[in-house]
Amino acid sequence: MRITSIVASALALVAASAFQDTSPFIFFSTSEILATSPQIASAASLTSTIRAELRKCPSDVYLIVSQPGVTAIDYRSQQSTPYLRRWVSGEDKHVRSSFTVSEVLGEFDTTALVSTLEQQCGAGKLNVDASTGLFDIVNDLKPRIIMVDFPLLPVGAERFTSSRTNDLFLSNLLSIIPSPNYTVVYTTTPATSVNQHTTMEPSMYEMDKTMSPLVHMDLKRDLMIHPRASGNGSNSTSLPLFERYQYFTPGLFMGLLVGFLLLSILYVAISGVSSLQVSYAAFDRENGPAAQKKQQ
């Protein structure tokens, strides 16, 4: 029983390490293409499937997009790639066929795909600079292969912004192509270990790795002496008196407020006591309560 559990754990560990070198694949087209693929596939089999379908020349424009350094997690958020999710989910009525592969092991052979389109469909190749958005304008009516190479996604807070920017760029590119009949082959490459585990931390606040976390309880802070920046470079002693010192501080304001409240209470108390009206005869012994009892 123990040997069986050890073997199962080893197989699970091997599978998990294998999935670290995978990346997603996205395909959609305005033509009716019946290509499908399992959620886990090799890049060689996926390349063969796509080449077999595009050998029929179903479209006028073929966009081959390359996005390096990503995983399937980068496309789970609806806000990171809203246009791409809209094309794949079927919300765009112009897209008639689409499928995605979450885990692709290996690198998709775009060179073989371009060669197939050039030989079978007579398509011309056109490169688009994704960083500037510049590309050459062609006037012929032959099918066109548009190569879009996105840069590597940065690490940290800018990763989401860059992914959304690339998604918007692809949407704008599809809106200006000369033909509404297009096919998009969205290829990716796996993220390296540097992109997955690198964190951006300020060097000033980096904790000492040689000390135990139970002993090192104090916070790192900048203890260096920095010169005070002056507004116009003049000496502070030449400024007016009320600009050099702060006289009305928050503590002074709270003290005055509490003092005003106490004085108000004292005024009400003194006013109440002074408003009492008692005749002087009430304190006379002959007219007091003891004298009245004697008379009774």
Side-chain angles (χ1 to χ4, degrees), residues 75-188:
Y75 299 96
R76 289 181 181 177
S77 176
Q78 298 181 359
Q79 289 78 21
S80 60
T81 54
Y83 294 101
L84 191 61
R85 179 178 293 272
R86 183 170 177 267
W87 294 321
V88 175
S89 62
E91 296 180 7
D92 191 345
K93 302 304 180 182
H94 298 89
V95 177
R96 302 177 61 185
S97 59
S98 64
F99 73 93
T100 60
V101 181
S102 301
E103 308 289 344
V104 178
L105 183 61
E107 186 173 355
F108 190 89
D109 191 0
T110 57
T111 304
L113 182 60
V114 171
S115 178
T116 299
L117 293 174
E118 289 177 343
Q119 295 176 4
Q120 300 295 329
C121 306
K125 185 179 178 182
L126 179 65
N127 294 320
V128 176
D129 189 359
S131 60
T132 60
L134 300 178
F135 59 93
D136 298 331
I137 299 177
V138 292
N139 296 322
D140 54 5
L141 299 178
K142 62 188 302 185
R144 190 64 54 185
I145 304 171
I146 301 178
M147 305 292 297
V148 182
D149 295 327
F150 287 123
L152 185 70
L153 291 181
V155 179
E158 298 180 357
R159 188 176 183 87
F160 176 83
T161 304
S162 299
S163 179
R164 191 178 181 88
T165 302
N166 295 343
D167 185 62
L168 180 60
F169 177 85
L170 184 60
S171 176
N172 294 334
L173 183 61
L174 289 177
S175 64
I176 62 175
I177 58 177
S179 175
N181 188 15
Y182 59 83
T183 296
V184 177
V185 180
Y186 199 103
T187 65
T188 62

Side-chain angles (χ1 to χ4, degrees), residues 35-37 44-54 99:
T36 58
S37 178
S45 62
L46 191 59
T47 302
S48 177
T49 302
I50 299 301
R51 288 182 63 187
E53 292 296 331
L54 296 187
F99 73 93

Side-chain angles (χ1 to χ4, degrees), residues 21 33 43 65 88 107 118 132 178 200 254 261 274 287 296:
D21 297 330
I33 299 177
V65 183
V88 175
E107 186 173 355
E118 289 177 343
T132 60
M200 301 178 64
M254 289 187 291
L261 180 61
S274 62
N287 297 328
Q296 291 178 359

Side-chain angles (χ1 to χ4, degrees), residues 228 234-249:
R228 178 179 295 180
S234 61
N235 191 4
S236 60
T237 57
S238 62
L239 297 175
L241 187 62
F242 286 94
E243 293 185 9
R244 289 168 53 189
Y245 301 100
Q246 184 181 5
Y247 293 95
F248 196 71
T249 60

